[in-house]
Amino acid sequence: MPRVHDLCARIQNGFRARLQTIAIPETKMNLAIANILYKEGFLSSVTRGNHLEPDQSYTPTTNENVATRRLWLNLKYKENNPALNKLSLVSKPSKKVHFTVNELKNIINGRRAQFIKPLQPGEIAIVNTNRGVLEVQEAIEKNVGGEVICRAS
């Protein structure tokens, strides 16, 4: 499994350093999480590129260039404040956190589930399900549970 803690740290450090764009390794998991953050309004764009800059035209990922491929994330700021205040890991390599649909409903409705605090207004959770990586609301709509990867506010 790709290291999600590295993605969380890179994005959070980019916002703290007030960077405009950051590069992260191109993996399916990183792309799925970045797309969710983009859809929820925490990022202004997600583009593919190499280790030097974003691509100007489409370049497919092949076995020869896979080591140099990156996802370039444009970080979003509102009135000079980061759109993303905190991106924290919930499920860790040493302690995986799997929730059923009912437990996901509990953390959305303001109740604890296992040892996880409920989501606050404006906060999202990202869940890895058997139907892909989904935001917690989508997972509940599709009636699937899974591993809670991280939460963002």
Side-chain angles (χ1 to χ4, degrees), residues 60-69:
T61 302
T62 61
N63 286 337
E64 289 77 35
N65 70 356
V66 71
T68 62
R69 300 302 292 164

Side-chain angles (χ1 to χ4, degrees), residues 62-130:
T62 61
N63 286 337
E64 289 77 35
N65 70 356
V66 71
T68 62
R69 300 302 292 164
R70 301 285 184 270
L71 292 173
W72 288 83
L73 310 180
N74 279 11
L75 306 181
K76 191 177 201 177
Y77 297 92
K78 296 175 186 172
E79 297 173 4
N80 209 20
N81 290 324
L84 182 73
N85 294 323
K86 188 174 182 184
L87 184 62
S88 59
L89 207 60
V90 174
S91 192
K92 300 176 177 144
S94 61
K95 174 96 172 135
K96 302 287 185 191
V97 180
H98 292 275
F99 279 177
T100 63
V101 179
N102 290 332
E103 289 172 323
L104 290 175
K105 287 179 184 176
N106 281 345
I107 64 168
I108 287 208
N109 293 330
R111 285 179 250 131
R112 290 179 75 97
Q114 295 178 20
F115 61 92
I116 304 298
K117 293 180 183 175
L119 295 178
Q120 300 302 313
E123 190 174 21
I124 66 165
I126 300 175
V127 183
N128 188 11
T129 68
N130 58 359

Side-chain angles (χ1 to χ4, degrees), residues 37-58:
L37 292 174
Y38 172 72
K39 287 177 194 170
E40 296 296 325
F42 294 112
L43 301 174
S44 58
S45 72
V46 178
T47 55
R48 288 182 164 164
N50 60 19
H51 63 287
L52 301 174
E53 62 185 358
D55 288 340
Q56 303 304 323
S57 62
Y58 175 73

